[in-house]
Amino acid sequence: MDIKDVVADYANVGGVGVLRPGVAFDDIAGVLGPPVDADYFPNAKKSWPRTFAYGDVRLEVCRCRRIQQVALSTWTDTVNVPNGQQGEMRTIAATLTFADLKEVLASAGTDWKLWELPAVRDQFTVIVGEYPQDVHFTFHVLDPDAPDRATLHNVISKDLEHTCPPDA
């Protein structure tokens, strides 16, 4: 497994292995073991939504215990991602260029669109999928004249239309 496999997984299923929006959080522990409480959001302890992590993969979990968002920051040299076995992580190189992502998406036959903000020259986002369930690959641009060399900064998949059942 390398970073290209991870981004291909994100593009195809919206996350890393079983870690994807819409999945019941309680089912994950049976596959990967218990998560770490990540305290990423400034919510009071034990209030919802809450953030948990498996290595560097962060999950936002709703009070109904469904995953709403799966995020992976890739600005570091390496990332730890679940290996698919209980308690096992794999450390992989995190560097991926825009040219690399285009190659991965083309190999998978995956459509994508580019989202750029005119006033922001040091980043752009590639979006795979359709709102409200899509994946955002955000890149850091060092040289605006060489966008293919931009490096992946983070990946976030989310389900923006998630609603809790009334009994949650």
Side-chain angles (χ1 to χ4, degrees):
M1 172 191 294
D2 66 13
I3 192 66
K4 288 182 180 182
D5 297 321
V6 172
V7 297
D9 213 14
Y10 257 102
N12 291 323
V13 299
V16 179
V18 296
L19 302 175
R20 53 183 177 253
V23 172
F25 183 60
D26 295 335
D27 294 344
I28 301 299
V31 176
L32 299 178
V36 172
D37 194 347
D39 288 332
Y40 188 71
F41 295 103
N43 294 331
K45 280 269 193 213
K46 307 298 180 197
S47 69
W48 298 91
R50 290 179 58 196
T51 306
F52 298 90
Y54 284 95
D56 290 315
V57 181
R58 295 182 316 276
L59 311 173
E60 180 181 322
V61 179
C62 183
R63 68 181 164 84
C64 70
R65 301 190 60 79
R66 293 240 171 235
I67 297 172
Q68 288 181 279
Q69 180 171 290
V70 180
L72 176 65
S73 297
T74 56
W75 64 75
T76 56
D77 290 335
T78 62
V79 291
N80 292 319
V81 295
N83 197 13
Q85 304 293 321
Q86 282 214 12
E88 291 186 19
M89 294 290 154
R90 177 168 289 179
T91 301
I92 59 173
T95 303
L96 184 92
T97 65
F98 180 42
D100 294 333
L101 180 66
K102 290 191 295 186
E103 178 184 298
V104 168
L105 297 177
S107 294
T110 302
D111 292 332
W112 56 277
K113 57 188 168 204
L114 187 62
W115 181 46
E116 295 177 283
L117 298 172
V120 180
R121 293 186 39 88
D122 66 342
Q123 78 176 40
F124 61 83
T125 299
V126 171
I127 300 173
V128 172
E130 296 293 326
Y131 176 89
Q133 294 180 342
D134 53 19
V135 181
H136 290 215
F137 299 87
T138 300
F139 286 83
H140 176 70
V141 180
L142 293 173
D143 180 358
D145 294 327
D148 277 356
R149 292 196 317 241
T151 55
L152 186 63
H153 186 263
N154 64 54
V155 183
I156 300 175
S157 62
K158 48 195 148 189
D159 180 356
L160 296 174
E161 282 195 346
H162 169 81
T163 55
C164 291
D167 59 346

